[in-house]
Amino acid sequence: MKFFYILDGKEIKKWLLIISIAFVTASIFYIQQLASEFVFSTDPGPKAIYKVENKNNELALTFDISWGETNAIPVLNVLKKHGVKATFFLSASWAERHPRIVKKIVDDGHEIGSMGYEYKNYTELERGKIIRDLAQAKKVFDTLGIKHTPFLRVPTGNFNKNVLKVVHSFGHTVVHWSVDSKDWLNPGVNVIVENVTKNAKGGDIVLLHASDSAKQTAHALEQIIVWMKKEGYKSVTISDLVNNAHIKSKEIK
């Protein structure tokens, strides 16, 4: 027995059109994914900056401080020695216990960002608790004379769409990082230097620490700055890095 298949020309054209549209849509989505490599966002909502497209060979050295008073001063001394400006993200509970160090950071011309009050994972907190933490941090910074902290690094570095929205509603922009020195692991000065120098490019935000857990940072920082100058990189604050930079977005879940 023979079977005959009758093909409808209109039906074929319809399915070819559907396949073509699907292919074009997928291609556009893929291209957008490749292009959006610098900023996390809840597009068109709040953003979390972790890198910018920068043609000026600028890097942003950033330092997190949440506890201790031993390592901050040596880090500040290295920065001052080389005339380098950076951004310090401070846990407000630490800042209120160490106002003299905070004053030195400000007097040396560095930028201060917030890390909230308590060093807690915001993704594990309810909205109300995050707001209270941010409000308590603002109160501390206001008392210390720091009236404007536009940038915030979420404690532990963990965030999601809900955290971004809450932080944004409080007037902060979340700043993540694109280069992790892993200095808090104390892997050795040379390893810290390599973690930064082998990965950093213009527009990157470098994560470093000035808490007492990072015992090797000041020594590594000396070599990192020497490398930066040799390679023609300039260290700037987050504000300076973001100004006039081309920022792209990447949606997060």
Side-chain angles (χ1 to χ4, degrees), residues 169-186:
S169 70
F170 212 83
H172 296 299
T173 296
V174 171
V175 174
H176 201 57
W177 58 84
S178 52
V179 176
D180 187 352
S181 69
K182 298 187 182 343
D183 57 345
W184 62 277
L185 293 172
N186 297 304

Side-chain angles (χ1 to χ4, degrees), residues 26-164:
S27 299
I28 292 173
F29 178 77
Y30 177 71
I31 292 171
Q32 288 176 335
Q33 287 296 100
L34 290 178
S36 60
E37 58 183 272
F38 299 126
V39 178
F40 296 102
S41 75
T42 58
D43 193 25
K47 297 174 172 58
I49 300 169
Y50 76 98
K51 182 184 176 76
V52 302
E53 188 174 276
N54 189 294
K55 297 180 180 179
N56 299 320
N57 277 346
E58 295 175 338
L59 296 175
L61 298 181
T62 66
F63 297 86
D64 289 2
I65 310 181
S66 57
W67 71 279
E69 57 183 349
T70 302
N71 292 336
I73 296 301
V75 166
L76 287 168
N77 288 342
V78 173
L79 293 172
K80 188 170 185 177
K81 171 184 174 182
H82 291 279
V84 169
K85 302 305 179 188
T87 300
F88 285 79
F89 289 96
L90 309 180
S91 169
S93 59
W94 174 90
E96 69 179 347
R97 295 194 303 271
H98 303 92
R100 292 183 181 180
I101 300 178
V102 176
K103 184 176 184 303
K104 180 169 175 55
I105 294 173
V106 174
D107 289 346
D108 285 356
H110 302 295
E111 181 174 46
I112 287 185
S114 175
M115 270 207 303
Y117 185 79
E118 294 187 68
Y119 196 81
K120 290 185 176 181
N121 187 343
Y122 278 5
T123 62
E124 298 176 355
L125 299 181
E126 298 174 354
R127 176 185 174 88
K129 291 184 178 180
I130 297 174
I131 291 175
R132 284 195 292 273
D133 189 78
L134 293 172
Q136 194 169 1
K138 184 181 185 307
K139 183 178 180 181
V140 170
F141 287 125
D142 284 347
T143 301
L144 293 172
I146 304 166
K147 303 297 183 182
H148 189 50
T149 53
F151 301 112
L152 178 138
R153 176 163 286 159
V154 291
T156 74
N158 296 316
F159 61 89
N160 53 29
K161 185 178 292 188
N162 293 329
V163 170
L164 280 181

Side-chain angles (χ1 to χ4, degrees), residues 13-28:
K13 289 181 180 179
K14 183 182 75 173
W15 281 106
L16 286 175
L17 180 60
I18 291 173
I19 293 171
S20 298
I21 292 173
F23 177 77
V24 171
T25 302
S27 299
I28 292 173

